[in-house]
Amino acid sequence: MKANEFKQRRELLMEQIGKDNIAIIASATMRTRNRDVDYPFRQDSDFYYLTGFNEANALAAFIPGREKGEYILFCQEYDEKKALWEGAHAGLEGATREYGADDSFPITDLGDILPGLLENKHKVFYPMGRDPELDHNLMEWITHIRSQTRSGVNAPGELVSLEHTVHEMRLIKSDAEIELMQTALDATAKAHIRAMKNCQAGRYEYQIEGDIVHEFFNNGLRAVAYPSIVAGGTNACVLHYVENKSVLNDGDLLLIDAGAECDHYAADITRTFPVNGKFSTEQALLYQLVLDSQYAALAEISPNNAWNKAHDASVLVLTTGLVKLGLLTGNIEQLIEDESYKAFYMHRIGHWLGMDVHDVGDYKIDDEWRVLEAGMVLTVEPGLYIPADCMTVDKKWRGIGIRIEDDILVTKQGHEILSKAIPKTIAEIEAVMEG
Ligand code: GLY
Ligand code: MN
Ligand code: MN
């Protein structure tokens, strides 16, 4: 991502915050995994979106109209010893020279400098409740300023959620953001294809997970966007199964929900295929039904269409198909109204996708489902999960779990399937697996 794009985002944010106000946002913190070992650092998405700065112990302040500089970055000072042990970091000079801050200060001076920046501001835009220590300090600083009002300074009177403003910006993706998502998806496509090719009865779910991560790393992407779900047989009916430790059995399906992350942007893809490379009759019938429901949902993805239309389309196709196959009985409209389909399709059609796998942005505005706009990216991921102990259906259906998930860009003309390179039809999957 070019520095100029971060700059444009900051300018847009400051325009929205308005003069006499201030916005502050902290970086993510390093977390200890166990003695002297940290979890891999992942920057806070909002912070990164506005700064491109990938270090912990940092805080950005945006002060529209401030003559001495509108963008201030507090960060760690450059430390040769730290550089030797832990590697490169920007330091105060790097913060201004490389990251475009108008001014930079040591993060250790935050308590001395930030209170002064809050004086005489009306509103503080701030992501409340994310960092209890900062929440506490901010209240103390504001209370302190309030105690000084006799000397002519005013304390901010309003705390406003910063998230809403930033998240509305993040919801519409730029060309550069789409490019990063496409890079994540290209590696993810290779990973799913590798998994299909290497799948065999007797291998373990974690071995297939290894194949997936191999492709991510091999393509330069060292982060998964979320823990991979590699679920053979009935494990696929556990929606967030991440144990990935069972053996794969001949005759079962394998559901893989896995995506790479590229420069903080996620891919989120699910494919389901037979362990032995050939769908059984029942598996093929249910798979085709899920695929048809996905096609129906995709047909509703275009600008000015409300977000829920895709979901409703998937519910109609799935419920109709379940009745036809005998897994549900009754009147289709009634089954939809009383949500009987939820016994087998219990999640919604998808979610926004971006820096976070379940990305930010409102789904409803004034209690109405939001209308899609060009530049939004979302997943379309219908599924059917027939629990192994479901006594209301014929035995032959039990324990089958299927989800098909693609990542979709809303375009002016309709939509583009960013993950179209990944085999999806029964014929395509069987051909890839046959080699
Ligand atoms: N991988 C998480 C999801 O599909 O929502
Ligand atoms: Mn997924
Ligand atoms: Mn998803």
Side-chain angles (χ1 to χ4, degrees):
M1 186 72 68
K2 295 213 173 80
N4 199 41
E5 181 146 343
F6 292 107
K7 187 165 178 261
Q8 284 170 3
R9 292 171 185 170
R10 291 192 290 270
E11 284 169 0
L12 186 61
L13 178 75
M14 286 200 248
E15 227 177 271
Q16 301 200 33
I17 292 169
K19 281 202 173 130
D20 302 325
N21 301 320
I22 181 172
I24 59 177
I25 183 163
S27 71
T29 25
M30 222 38 171
R31 303 242 177 249
T32 306
R33 182 175 183 273
N34 58 338
R35 287 173 65 89
D36 295 339
V37 179
D38 294 325
Y39 282 105
F41 179 72
R42 168 56 158 78
Q43 187 57 283
D44 176 88
S45 297
D46 288 336
F47 182 86
Y48 191 80
Y49 182 80
L50 295 168
T51 64
F53 194 70
N54 202 15
E55 293 180 26
N57 295 320
L59 180 139
F62 305 105
I63 313 160
R66 181 173 176 268
E67 273 177 20
K68 282 191 267 170
E70 297 182 306
Y71 168 31
I72 297 171
L73 193 53
F74 294 85
C75 64
Q76 300 172 95
E77 288 180 271
Y78 188 78
D79 175 351
E80 264 180 31
K81 208 164 148 200
K82 184 178 159 63
L84 180 68
W85 283 80
E86 296 168 31
H89 50 289
L92 301 184
E93 247 186 72
T96 50
R97 200 184 50 232
E98 288 162 42
Y99 292 93
D102 296 317
D103 214 344
S104 57
F105 297 103
I107 189 75
T108 44
D109 291 352
L110 187 67
D112 298 327
I113 296 170
L114 196 62
L117 299 174
L118 296 170
E119 285 179 4
N120 298 318
K121 297 287 173 288
H122 296 174
K123 295 180 190 169
V124 183
F125 287 79
Y126 170 68
M128 285 167 254
R130 257 193 228 179
D131 180 341
E133 194 185 331
L134 188 59
D135 286 350
H136 175 81
N137 289 341
L138 186 62
M139 288 312 133
E140 289 226 315
W141 295 329
I142 292 175
T143 308
H144 179 72
I145 299 169
R146 210 172 279 144
S147 72
Q148 308 285 305
T149 45
R150 276 190 303 275
S151 63
V153 290
N154 283 319
E158 234 180 289
L159 284 177
V160 184
S161 158
L162 177 66
E163 279 105 327
H164 184 72
T165 311
V166 178
H167 294 178
E168 283 300 300
M169 289 166 63
R170 278 177 55 189
L171 183 56
I172 306 294
K173 273 71 179 176
S174 69
D175 290 348
E177 290 179 290
I178 299 300
E179 222 173 278
L180 292 173
M181 296 182 83
Q182 191 64 65
T183 305
L185 277 162
D186 291 346
T188 302
K190 289 183 187 164
H192 280 268
I193 292 168
R194 186 184 180 90
M196 286 176 193
K197 289 186 168 163
N198 286 358
C199 183
Q200 250 180 25
R203 293 195 83 209
Y204 282 78
E205 292 166 343
Y206 50 74
Q207 291 178 306
I208 303 291
E209 184 179 12
D211 282 323
I212 287 164
V213 174
H214 169 97
E215 286 293 349
F216 293 173
F217 274 50
N218 212 27
N219 286 276
L221 305 181
R222 283 191 60 221
V224 290
Y226 52 92
S228 307
I229 296 170
V230 182
T234 59
N235 291 339
C237 296
V238 180
L239 291 185
H240 291 153
Y241 177 80
V242 286
E243 277 183 51
N244 299 357
K245 65 178 189 193
S246 300
V247 72
L248 299 173
N249 296 313
D250 194 3
D252 279 351
L253 290 176
L254 174 60
L255 180 154
I256 299 178
D257 185 345
E261 187 177 86
C262 176
D263 194 7
H264 300 81
Y265 286 83
D268 182 11
I269 296 297
T270 308
R271 287 293 182 267
T272 309
F273 52 87
V275 169
N276 64 16
K278 286 269 171 227
F279 285 86
S280 72
T281 309
E282 286 75 27
Q283 289 166 352
L285 285 167
L286 288 184
Y287 187 89
Q288 192 58 48
L289 177 54
V290 176
L291 188 55
D292 289 344
S293 78
Q294 201 211 31
Y295 291 147
L298 286 169
E300 299 294 344
I301 305 291
S302 56
N304 302 320
N305 243 3
W307 154 253
N308 65 314
K309 279 193 157 189
H311 181 71
D312 293 347
S314 71
V315 167
L316 179 60
V317 172
L318 288 174
T319 309
T320 308
L322 288 168
V323 169
K324 213 164 139 197
L325 295 174
L327 283 96
L328 287 176
T329 42
N331 171 276
I332 290 163
E333 266 175 33
Q334 191 59 45
L335 291 166
I336 292 174
E337 200 182 314
D338 60 24
E339 300 186 335
S340 302
Y341 62 85
K342 280 195 176 171
F344 308 120
Y345 176 38
M346 57 293 280
H347 56 76
R348 288 194 60 83
I349 190 67
H351 48 84
W352 308 134
L353 182 71
M355 299 183 84
D356 297 314
V357 62
H358 290 177
D359 207 32
V360 294
D362 293 334
Y363 290 89
K364 278 189 167 179
I365 293 176
D366 295 333
D367 224 24
E368 293 287 334
W369 288 109
R370 184 169 202 146
V371 160
L372 298 175
E373 294 169 48
M376 291 174 168
V377 178
L378 45 91
T379 68
V380 175
E381 49 178 306
L384 279 177
Y385 315 88
I386 320 297
D389 59 357
C390 180
M391 294 305 147
T392 61
V393 303
D394 192 297
K395 208 164 146 230
K396 64 184 180 181
W397 306 114
R398 291 181 204 158
I400 295 180
I402 296 165
R403 179 163 62 256
I404 305 171
E405 175 173 28
D406 280 298
D407 299 347
I408 317 298
L409 167 67
V410 182
T411 61
K412 279 191 190 130
Q413 296 76 27
H415 67 258
E416 183 189 340
I417 304 175
L418 300 176
S419 46
K420 55 184 169 291
I422 313 175
K424 185 163 70 171
T425 64
I426 290 176
E428 283 166 356
I429 288 173
E430 290 188 345
V432 167
M433 293 188 75
E434 206 180 325

